[in-house]
Amino acid sequence: MLEKINKQKLVVIGNGMAGIRTVETLLERAPDLYDITVFGSEPYGNYNRILLSPVLSGEKSVDDIMLNTEQWYDDNNISLRKGETVVMIDRRTCEVVTAEGARVPYDRLLIATGSNPIILPIPGKDLPGVIGFRDIHDVNSMVEASNSRKHAVVIGGGLLGLEAANGLMKRGMNVTVVHLLDCLMERQLDPVASGMLRKSLEERGMVFKMPAQTQAILGDDHVTAVRLADGSELPADLVVMAVGIRPNIEVARKAGIHCERGIVVSDTMQTYDGRIYAVGECVQHRRQTYGLVAPLFDQAKVCANQLAMKGFASYPGSVVSTKLKVTGIDLFSAGDFAPGADKEEVVMQDAARGVYKRIVLRDKKIVGAVLYGDTVDGPWYFQHLRDGTDISQMRERLVFGAANLGDGGHAGQNSAATMSDEAEICGCNGVCKGTIVKAIMEKKLFTIDDVRAHTKASSSCGSCTGLVEQVLAFTLGGDYSTAPKIKPMCKCTDHSHDDARRVIIEQQLKTIPDVMKFMDWKTDNGCHSCRPALNYYLLATWPGEYRDDQQSRYINERVHANIQKDGTYSVVPRMWGGVTTPGELRAIADVADKFKIPTVKVTGGQRIDLLGVKKEDLPAVWADLNDAGMVSGHAYAKGLRTVKTCVGSEWCRFGTQDSTGLGIKIEKFMWGSWTPAKVKLAVSGCPRNCAEATCKDVGVICVDSGYEIHFAGAAGLHIKGTEFLAKAATEDETLEVICALTQLYREQGWYLERMYKWCDRVGLDAIRKQVVDDMANRKALFGRFSYSQQFSQSDPWAERAQRGVDRNEFVPLAELELA
Amino acid sequence: MTQWIEIGTLDDIPRLGSRVVRTAAGDIAVFRANDDEVFALDDRCPHKGGPLSQGIVHNKRVTCPLHNFVIELKSGEAVAPDQGCTRAHPTKVENGVVWLSLRQAAPAAAE
Ligand SMILES: Cc1cc2nc3c(=O)[nH]c(=O)nc-3n(C[C@H](O)[C@H](O)[C@H](O)COP(=O)(O)OP(=O)(O)OC[C@H]3O[C@@H](n4cnc5c(N)ncnc54)[C@H](O)[C@@H]3O)c2cc1C
Ligand code: SF4
Ligand code: SF4
Ligand code: FES
């Protein structure tokens, strides 16, 4: 099915963390697409730069931090040109030129040159013994110096400087840190935390000169001292400059690629030359440059997607958090904590325990956090920060962290056990707890190395190793319990959603009371959370057989309209594929006039919303809309909502296929289906993607050769680009894949679990296998979907407006004069 | 003296459901529990006035459709951790007929 493409040449400049992560991801997505050549100035395979600090302090060896051996490059047919530096990009002939003069052609080029340490322009900066802290070479020089010499001066009291100072101290040197400001790590810490950090480093023997400015480095053929602006001199046999980094944009700039502070890239990681991509510290994206790996890995993923020609992932920028990797010091910081009039703070300080926490809030949300001494809740705060969670409900208890918010479980349980599945454990690689737990269970992992290999958690900076170990212990059941923790549906039962779904099928249970009885529900008739869930499971399992229980439906689904804050309803008629007619518009206008509907609004799903309809008017409103040929848009349903389309090849000069027609076809086939949570679709007529298909539950991008089907996007509380699912050649095939996918989701999803969450839980590959690879299974899923549609495609409005279904809902029981 | 008003039959109210009685002083939500016990509350959630009659009924409680406050049908009290109370009215069922006695908003001096 896939057309065979001649192998294109991909050249990568920079054998560092971002570049190679991009290549790794690319190989996963599209193993055979490119002939890959990687240039790296350093004479090694790819290593974990972050862990240079523990190498310096002697806690790890260089071998420990190698990420990809040369064998790996061989195994993957990558030609590694280590020790070779690219000095020029010839964009006219599409070639790169090395220092030795070799020319290598490219079809696509990836620049990942990282950054260089900033060397202060002061006298003596070029003396032997003055170095930066960036690569293995620097570390080797420092280790060598520490063997024979005594005094080290580190210029710069930021993250890097302190890690260098700590390492050198561990190696037995006397270390003085010279810092320009009176606050260490001022970009990550507030003055209080910074003071605490300084104190505990001083207790270990580190000496600080701050605020102090370095004026000159002294010495004849080797550094001997550092002179400060106040005239004082510090003896020095080694000077480490750690005052910052500067994106390494040399080659790019010389080639005329647009650069500012870094190489300017778009959301798809492309430079101004469309064949040339860039990722990593050398990049400037939306005016930001980054110096930590987590955002670079995000970039790498997007870039790999692009290079793989799969999907249209885009990079929206990152929020970063920091941990200092000095053994014995626990420090976490994230977000923005500069004081401001619009911000509030929650501060806790326990001098005796050496614990300090400061959470900065704005508009009921966490915008910044600094933790010192006790950082286990760092990832938890960070998650809320990134999610923009409204924390007003938990404000009082916020500083005590996740374990103190009531849903924590038993006292004495460790912190990883109380974290939610979505909580991020490994910040560098963006791995959340649920992913680790799942990998441990499914892949039968037992050691931290297994977990690293399978999930990448704890494989970069290593700060989360402790947490990952806790997750391992509690998932495998240390002394606590051997059974994996299952999440009950709600307080009415100890059983999980999966249990309920399984038992319904195994025991052929066909009513809610039967399920509750069989599964020993703890309440008589459930609650607002489990009843709708069971109702859906029964409906999805026994189409045509199960009688929908109206009293277990949320009000919107019971009355087929959306309840508003004042108890009135909103009504949204279906507009197939977002297309309407003058007649429909006229009917809508008439209805609005007749029933004095206060607000008429266009929705995000390309339809019209009539807001403020009184409940008792609903049937009459529907009757009028029905008369004009309109039916319910299910804008209230945990079911198929809309299929948004662009105008496609019918009108648009870029259109490759009839996106509007396809959208309508899909909507006509799929409307009325109930799903675990709402399902929104979109079809775009070309990769310009005017229908915004790549943030929908299911999105189709038309291309010349067919239809790319994407899914598992989200653009609500969470924002997530879609994943590529499959490419189809025809409209019918597209429809079949989408219906099969939806059916699998209907059969596996937990109630209220959006498609992207389901995908996260069961895994992209598992879904692809069942929907794309296994043709017989796809047909079977499609068959089951079609079968159940027979029973669901009856307009609920017509049933109520014309056939008197549920009439009781819409009229009062009695009207009393007196009162 | 309790004044009872006939408002309809038990069959008019779905099990685990509710109906509304209109009065000049606002709507009253009348609920029917699974065991056919009938309750009446002001149709206003103590939180932000949501129409309790539109909620899901379970175990002699109702969940407000707007933000999920759970209210005891008998007392009108919100179930902890939520707080608040809505007015409850006496009801009785005799021979399948439902009767309601409206508790007035207390006139300034009374009670
Ligand atoms: C000591 C230290 C500690 C750190 N600690 C942390 C931490 O705890 N957490 C964190 O998130 N981040 C940390 N970082 C930052 C992190 O290592 C970087 O953000 C990351 O390595 C940047 O990746 P990159 O691919 O952009 O650049 P690099 O990893 O620097 O890769 C760039 C590579 O390109 C090569 N190169 C450059 N120009 C050319 C050329 N013209 N031709 C051929 N090759 C070229 C370079 O030699 C280099 O190998 C730390 C960095 C250091 C130095
Ligand atoms: S997505 Fe493409 S085809 Fe559709 S309107 Fe936009 S440019 Fe035109
Ligand atoms: S974003 Fe949605 S939920 Fe929020 S106020 Fe608007 S309509 Fe309501
Ligand atoms: S109005 Fe009832 S919960 Fe908010």
Side-chain angles (χ1 to χ4, degrees):
Chain A
M1 285 222 312
L2 270 177
E3 55 213 284
K4 179 117 181 68
I5 306 162
N6 276 339
K7 272 208 182 184
Q8 300 197 43
K9 294 186 196 60
L10 172 66
V11 170
V12 182
I13 311 180
N15 187 25
M17 299 190 72
I20 296 308
R21 175 57 68 91
T22 310
V23 172
E24 285 175 344
T25 314
L26 171 62
L27 290 174
E28 277 168 27
R29 304 270 147 104
D32 297 318
L33 203 51
Y34 294 97
D35 275 327
I36 304 176
T37 306
V38 176
F39 287 95
S41 303
E42 295 183 73
Y44 305 98
N46 172 239
Y47 64 91
N48 188 343
R49 193 171 305 285
I50 300 184
L51 294 185
L52 286 176
S53 304
V55 172
L56 177 62
S57 63
E59 289 160 73
K60 283 197 155 63
S61 72
V62 169
D63 283 345
D64 289 340
I65 69 168
M66 283 296 156
L67 291 171
N68 292 306
T69 57
E70 291 178 34
Q71 186 64 41
W72 176 84
Y73 292 85
D74 276 353
D75 293 347
N76 288 288
N77 291 322
I78 298 169
S79 133
L80 170 64
R81 317 258 307 232
K82 59 176 184 168
E84 288 190 60
T85 300
V86 171
V87 291
M88 197 177 100
I89 303 166
D90 187 336
R91 287 165 59 204
R92 202 174 35 85
T93 59
C94 291
E95 285 173 323
V96 297
V97 185
T98 70
E100 288 79 29
R103 300 181 79 92
V104 175
Y106 65 83
D107 294 304
R108 297 206 186 185
L109 179 66
L110 174 60
I111 306 180
T113 45
S115 52
N116 294 321
I118 294 178
I119 299 294
L120 294 173
I122 49 176
K125 68 180 167 54
D126 297 322
L127 279 174
V130 180
I131 57 173
F133 183 18
R134 182 70 196 173
D135 52 27
I136 293 185
H137 179 74
D138 296 333
V139 172
N140 287 342
S141 316
M142 286 193 245
V143 172
E144 216 168 280
S146 72
N147 288 336
S148 55
R149 298 172 192 258
K150 198 85 203 110
H151 300 287
V153 171
V154 174
I155 305 177
L159 190 85
L160 217 55
L162 294 180
E163 292 189 0
N166 179 62
L168 292 168
M169 214 166 60
K170 285 245 164 107
R171 295 255 173 204
M173 295 189 86
N174 294 335
V175 184
T176 306
V177 175
V178 178
H179 191 48
L180 196 56
L181 304 171
D182 57 3
C183 189
L184 291 173
M185 287 179 70
E186 72 282 352
R187 278 172 49 202
Q188 289 89 14
L189 298 184
D190 63 359
V192 180
S194 156
M196 294 174 86
L197 172 64
R198 174 173 178 178
K199 186 158 157 280
S200 63
L201 289 171
E202 275 171 347
E203 279 164 10
R204 291 157 180 245
M206 211 178 274
V207 176
F208 292 94
K209 290 278 175 212
M210 55 194 274
Q213 192 176 358
T214 318
Q215 197 178 54
I217 298 172
L218 313 177
D220 297 330
D221 47 8
H222 194 277
V223 50
T224 55
V226 168
R227 184 189 303 134
L228 304 181
D230 66 2
S232 61
E233 288 185 14
L234 306 168
D237 308 310
L238 172 73
V239 174
V240 180
M241 291 242 199
V243 294
I245 53 171
R246 183 176 289 136
N248 181 0
I249 58 177
E250 262 301 292
V251 262
R253 193 205 299 279
K254 271 199 305 197
I257 295 166
H258 180 63
C259 296
E260 286 171 11
R261 259 177 313 140
I263 304 168
V264 177
V265 293
S266 66
D267 285 2
T268 51
M269 307 316 296
Q270 273 162 308
T271 67
Y272 275 42
D273 179 334
R275 288 164 177 268
I276 304 183
Y277 292 74
V279 291
E281 284 186 346
C282 56
V283 152
Q284 175 180 335
H285 170 262
R286 298 196 190 172
R287 306 185 156 269
Q288 277 281 333
T289 56
Y290 293 96
L292 293 168
V293 293
L296 309 186
F297 288 174
D298 290 344
Q299 296 175 356
K301 189 171 158 200
V302 171
C303 184
N305 243 319
Q306 289 290 323
L307 287 169
M309 302 184 200
K310 291 222 168 127
F312 300 84
S314 76
Y315 176 64
S318 306
V319 196
V320 295
S321 65
T322 323
K323 277 188 154 194
L324 180 71
K325 301 186 302 301
V326 170
T327 309
I329 293 185
D330 285 323
L331 184 63
F332 176 92
S333 104
D336 166 17
F337 40 82
D342 55 340
K343 293 183 199 150
E344 296 176 81
E345 310 188 338
V346 187
V347 177
M348 191 201 76
Q349 192 162 10
D350 182 342
R353 277 172 58 225
V355 170
Y356 168 75
K357 297 183 177 184
R358 175 151 163 258
I359 318 297
V360 184
L361 309 173
R362 188 174 52 214
D363 295 342
K364 301 182 193 146
K365 289 178 191 137
I366 300 179
V367 295
V370 181
L371 311 179
Y372 187 90
D374 173 6
T375 54
V376 283
D377 285 316
W380 185 78
Y381 291 119
F382 190 48
Q383 185 193 0
H384 287 309
L385 188 155
R386 288 199 308 188
D387 292 355
T389 316
D390 179 343
I391 48 83
S392 38
Q393 299 294 326
M394 46 180 165
R395 214 195 125 131
E396 280 100 80
R397 288 161 291 173
L398 195 63
V399 277
F400 302 114
N404 281 279
L405 281 165
D407 57 355
H410 312 279
Q413 226 165 341
N414 58 33
S415 56
T418 60
M419 293 169 82
S420 76
D421 275 357
E422 293 88 44
E424 186 173 82
I425 294 216
C426 173
C428 293
N429 293 288
V431 186
C432 64
K433 179 181 153 196
T435 312
I436 301 178
V437 172
K438 192 168 142 252
I440 295 173
M441 301 299 297
E442 285 180 358
K443 311 226 166 84
K444 310 217 174 352
L445 313 181
F446 291 98
T447 67
I448 186 107
D449 287 331
D450 292 346
V451 174
R452 282 188 188 130
H454 280 91
T455 66
K456 295 220 187 289
S458 158
S459 65
S460 296
C461 84
S463 314
C464 61
T465 307
L467 273 178
V468 176
E469 276 169 345
Q470 286 182 14
V471 174
L472 256 170
F474 115 85
T475 309
L476 296 175
D479 49 1
Y480 218 77
S481 79
T482 41
K485 196 177 148 157
I486 51 161
K487 199 165 167 260
M489 281 176 72
C490 67
K491 294 203 183 95
C492 301
T493 175
D494 294 329
H495 296 290
S496 67
H497 286 268
D498 280 338
D499 288 341
R501 298 210 77 158
R502 200 191 64 243
V503 168
I504 287 171
I505 297 172
E506 280 174 8
Q507 302 297 324
Q508 306 261 314
L509 302 176
K510 301 203 172 156
T511 68
I512 293 177
D514 284 352
V515 179
M516 291 183 173
K517 192 153 157 258
F518 189 86
M519 299 187 77
D520 281 330
W521 236 246
K522 293 191 269 185
T523 51
D524 289 338
N525 28 65
C527 70
H528 60 270
S529 131
C530 57
R531 277 228 316 273
L534 293 180
N535 190 57
Y536 165 73
Y537 294 151
L538 289 161
L539 196 65
T541 313
W542 312 115
E545 222 177 311
Y546 175 67
R547 237 188 87 237
D548 203 344
D549 177 22
Q550 292 303 309
Q551 304 312 325
S552 297
R553 286 271 193 189
Y554 180 62
I555 183 66
N556 289 355
E557 294 185 346
R558 203 182 323 144
V559 303
H560 297 273
N562 294 58
I563 196 165
Q564 302 298 321
K565 61 187 270 192
D566 61 353
T568 64
Y569 289 82
S570 84
V571 165
V572 183
R574 211 168 264 294
M575 279 180 184
W576 306 99
V579 176
T580 184
T581 62
E584 287 183 353
L585 291 174
R586 228 170 261 128
I588 290 172
D590 288 344
V591 167
D593 280 344
K594 178 164 158 193
F595 295 94
K596 305 203 166 38
I597 291 171
T599 301
V600 180
K601 184 176 181 316
V602 175
T603 72
Q606 300 186 333
R607 345 198 250 186
I608 291 177
D609 195 354
L610 300 162
L611 291 129
V613 182
K614 292 193 221 52
K615 191 179 184 193
E616 55 270 30
D617 286 343
L618 285 172
V621 166
W622 294 335
D624 284 6
L625 293 171
N626 277 163
D627 284 345
M630 281 175 277
V631 297
S632 167
H634 289 86
Y636 45 80
K638 310 288 174 234
L640 182 98
R641 293 269 176 101
T642 57
V643 182
K644 192 170 169 175
T645 68
C646 75
V647 291
S649 59
E650 200 185 341
W651 292 100
C652 177
R653 67 204 162 100
F654 298 115
T656 61
Q657 309 281 355
D658 178 13
S659 48
T660 321
L662 175 59
I664 294 173
K665 191 167 181 175
I666 295 173
E667 191 166 356
K668 291 232 156 154
F669 196 86
M670 295 183 70
W671 74 272
S673 57
W674 298 103
T675 43
K678 63 184 167 189
V679 173
K680 296 182 175 179
L681 280 71
V683 184
S684 285
C686 82
R688 285 171 188 76
N689 195 9
C690 296
E692 294 160 348
T694 49
C695 60
K696 296 286 183 284
D697 296 288
V698 183
V700 178
I701 306 270
C702 301
V703 290
D704 277 324
S705 54
Y707 307 85
E708 288 187 352
I709 304 166
H710 299 250
F711 80 117
L717 222 43
H718 294 265
I719 299 188
K720 183 179 167 295
T722 43
E723 306 282 350
F724 175 78
L725 178 68
K727 184 158 172 201
T730 64
E731 287 194 349
D732 285 346
E733 192 185 347
T734 308
L735 183 68
E736 184 176 288
V737 171
I738 293 176
C739 291
L741 171 73
T742 307
Q743 180 63 18
L744 191 65
Y745 169 56
R746 296 182 71 220
E747 292 174 7
Q748 296 185 338
W750 296 343
Y751 190 64
L752 298 188
E753 180 179 52
R754 288 291 295 274
M755 202 178 264
Y756 72 97
K757 293 241 163 127
W758 163 66
C759 172
D760 272 357
R761 178 166 61 84
V762 305
L764 189 56
D765 288 342
I767 294 173
R768 234 182 236 143
K769 208 173 278 156
Q770 296 193 62
V771 174
V772 186
D773 303 343
D774 182 343
M775 199 50 121
N777 195 51
R778 180 202 295 181
K779 298 258 184 238
L781 283 165
F782 179 73
R784 292 203 289 280
F785 183 84
S786 311
Y787 176 76
S788 88
Q789 280 301 77
Q790 299 175 33
F791 308 101
S792 62
Q793 290 197 328
S794 154
D795 176 31
W797 288 358
E799 289 171 351
R800 283 158 184 75
Q802 275 132 46
R803 280 170 253 136
V805 171
D806 283 343
R807 222 190 59 234
N808 277 347
E809 266 295 348
F810 304 98
V811 291
L813 177 62
E815 300 198 38
L816 305 182
E817 294 296 320
L818 39 85
Chain B
M1 242 262 336
T2 319
Q3 192 194 355
W4 291 104
I5 311 158
E6 180 184 335
I7 52 171
T9 69
L10 190 60
D11 292 342
D12 291 333
I13 314 170
R15 270 210 184 105
L16 292 176
S18 85
R19 296 288 300 278
V20 171
V21 171
R22 289 270 140 84
T23 79
D27 288 357
I28 309 285
V30 182
F31 302 92
R32 175 176 170 190
N34 212 33
D35 61 1
D36 291 346
E37 198 177 348
V38 170
F39 302 91
L41 298 177
D42 276 2
D43 196 9
R44 289 180 54 78
C45 174
H47 179 222
K48 291 192 173 172
L52 297 173
S53 57
Q54 313 296 297
I56 289 183
V57 181
H58 50 96
N59 313 312
K60 308 206 173 169
R61 294 172 170 176
V62 63
T63 301
C64 175
L66 294 195
H67 317 92
N68 287 344
F69 265 47
V70 178
I71 310 289
E72 292 286 0
L73 294 180
K74 193 159 190 78
S75 62
E77 299 269 0
V79 176
D82 297 332
Q83 292 184 336
C85 186
T86 192
R87 192 164 31 158
H89 302 273
T91 56
K92 62 179 182 182
V93 183
E94 282 172 3
N95 303 321
V97 175
V98 182
W99 299 80
L100 171 68
S101 164
L102 283 184
R103 257 183 47 203
Q104 307 290 328
E111 274 188 41

